[in-house]
Amino acid sequence: MKLTILGCHSATPRDNARPTAQVLELRGHLFLIDCGEGTQMALRKNRIKFARIKHIFISHLHGDHVYGLIGLISTFCLLGRESDLTIYGPKGIKELILLQLRLAKVYTSFDLRFRESVENKETLLYEDDQLAIHTIPLDHRVFTQGFLFQEKPGDRKLDVAACESYGIDQAYYRKIKQGFNFVLDNGEVIPNVELTTDGDEPKSYAFCSDTVYKEDIVPQIQGVTALYHESTFLKSHAHLCDKTKHSTAEEAATIALKANVGTLILGHYSSRYGDYNLFKEEAQTVFKNSELALDGKVFQF
């Protein structure tokens, strides 16, 4: 699982501070999460192939999370894209994009699909045989949802020595790795646990931006490999959270602690701060394994 931060700042873009966008690489997929201004330039800078992006997830319709989307779609058209593109987001995302395309008389050369969320509740957005993606209900000034990306358990690991001791032909190895028991010629059943060991732990990633402190998301994100949680303010400005519906670094760390996540990634910093290390220091007083999102930074799990 690989996460590339394209942008991690709040409000307006600046020379060295792009608004929210990131790419998650998981099980052969390349998922774009949010698409603030300058996202396509950040994609080029990080050498991420446009054609591999087939699913885009938009958390909410504030500009610093979506204003780069129409530009990216227009570029897809100019490049002669042919593969389907699906956009997941709150109700209104389809109207927003199609209106801009219509007024600009831009016609897509590919099938552009939308999956809009209407109710702010956990919803399955995407599923295949390797992973599932659900929404995470958040609390912001407009309808906002996070996203939970979860690998499904993979095959078990084959104990070749154990299989050979029973004289099992290699033709049966795949079935055994899939969890099946093996029956010997004499009818004896060899339990799968005697022929395999546990496979790799499935990885998971939770994206939570923007939101006020919301403890009821903890059960849904319990034990995720990595959590991105907005930390717009330091606790010295906690009084601004109720008005703006944002969180502090300390609050993000509290969610990470309660959910027992592997790694907390902080982001969505307010421009009032010049030293982002203050966010990390504040979070680490609550949750030690806290890291800073930075434009262009790559996390591997």
Side-chain angles (χ1 to χ4, degrees):
M1 186 169 73
K2 177 181 177 182
L3 178 70
T4 302
I5 306 297
L6 303 177
C8 58
H9 299 81
S10 65
T12 58
R14 302 180 298 284
D15 284 346
N16 59 346
R18 298 185 189 275
T20 303
Q22 48 188 250
V23 168
L24 179 70
E25 187 169 357
L26 185 63
R27 290 293 183 101
H29 292 283
L30 212 60
F31 300 117
L32 177 61
I33 309 170
D34 276 351
C35 192
E37 290 180 70
T39 292
Q40 62 176 309
M41 297 176 69
L43 288 168
R44 292 186 187 279
K45 185 175 181 179
N46 288 277
R47 299 181 182 277
I48 295 171
K49 294 182 178 180
F50 287 16
R52 289 193 59 199
I53 299 172
K54 297 180 180 179
H55 302 273
I56 300 176
F57 297 82
I58 301 297
S59 62
H60 63 296
L61 297 183
H62 279 164
D64 55 337
H65 295 258
V66 74
Y67 281 172
L69 184 55
I70 185 61
L72 181 61
I73 292 173
S74 296
T75 297
F76 284 160
C77 295
L78 291 172
L79 294 175
R81 180 191 178 105
E82 296 180 351
S83 58
D84 299 346
L85 178 67
T86 304
I87 298 172
Y88 308 81
K91 184 174 176 58
I93 186 67
K94 180 177 180 179
E95 179 183 4
L96 177 67
I97 296 302
L98 293 187
L99 176 62
Q100 293 175 93
L101 292 175
R102 180 170 60 83
L103 293 178
K105 296 185 177 180
V106 174
Y107 303 95
T108 61
S109 52
F110 52 91
D111 190 1
L112 180 59
R113 303 169 180 173
F114 295 88
R115 170 75 186 273
E116 294 188 320
S117 298
V118 178
E119 295 183 88
N120 200 11
K121 64 179 183 179
E122 180 184 349
T123 305
L124 176 65
L125 293 181
Y126 175 88
E127 185 176 26
D128 60 26
D129 58 353
Q130 294 185 312
L131 57 88
I133 305 170
H134 290 80
T135 61
I136 303 172
L138 300 177
D139 183 6
H140 191 41
R141 300 193 307 277
V142 297
F143 184 104
T144 305
Q145 57 193 359
F147 304 103
L148 176 61
F149 302 80
Q150 295 172 296
E151 281 186 329
K152 294 181 178 180
D155 289 346
R156 295 180 61 78
K157 292 184 178 179
L158 194 70
D159 185 338
V160 177
C163 290
E164 289 177 345
S165 70
Y166 285 106
I168 298 174
D169 191 278
Q170 293 184 12
Y172 297 100
Y173 282 4
R174 183 172 181 180
K175 279 290 187 182
I176 293 172
K177 287 173 63 177
Q178 292 173 347
F180 290 90
N181 298 330
F182 185 79
V183 181
L184 298 177
D185 291 341
N186 62 8
E188 180 184 357
V189 177
I190 309 301
N192 186 267
V193 292
E194 293 186 17
L195 304 173
T196 61
T197 58
D198 291 338
D200 294 331
E201 185 73 20
K203 294 181 173 64
S204 52
Y205 175 64
F207 172 87
C208 296
S209 182
D210 301 4
T211 185
V212 73
Y213 179 79
K214 195 171 187 290
E215 200 168 292
D216 60 5
I217 69 173
V218 167
Q220 187 184 358
I221 65 173
Q222 189 69 220
V224 296
T225 307
L227 163 67
Y228 175 90
H229 194 291
E230 74 126 281
S231 54
T232 305
F233 302 115
L234 297 174
K235 63 181 178 182
S236 58
H237 290 100
H239 61 282
L240 297 175
C241 289
D242 285 341
K243 176 184 177 181
T244 62
K245 292 288 188 178
H246 286 300
S247 301
T248 67
E250 183 179 69
E251 288 173 332
T254 301
I255 293 292
L257 180 66
K258 290 180 179 292
N260 191 31
V261 308
T263 300
L264 169 65
I265 303 172
L266 304 166
H268 202 263
Y269 316 114
S270 168
S271 60
R272 60 172 37 83
Y273 305 108
D275 184 1
Y276 298 142
N277 285 314
L278 296 175
F279 289 87
K280 185 175 181 178
E281 291 169 5
E282 179 174 302
Q284 286 184 332
T285 63
V286 177
F287 186 76
K288 189 65 177 175
N289 198 17
S290 298
E291 300 290 342
L292 294 175
L294 297 170
D295 293 3
K297 188 171 183 178
V298 176
F299 296 88
Q300 300 236 23
F301 303 96

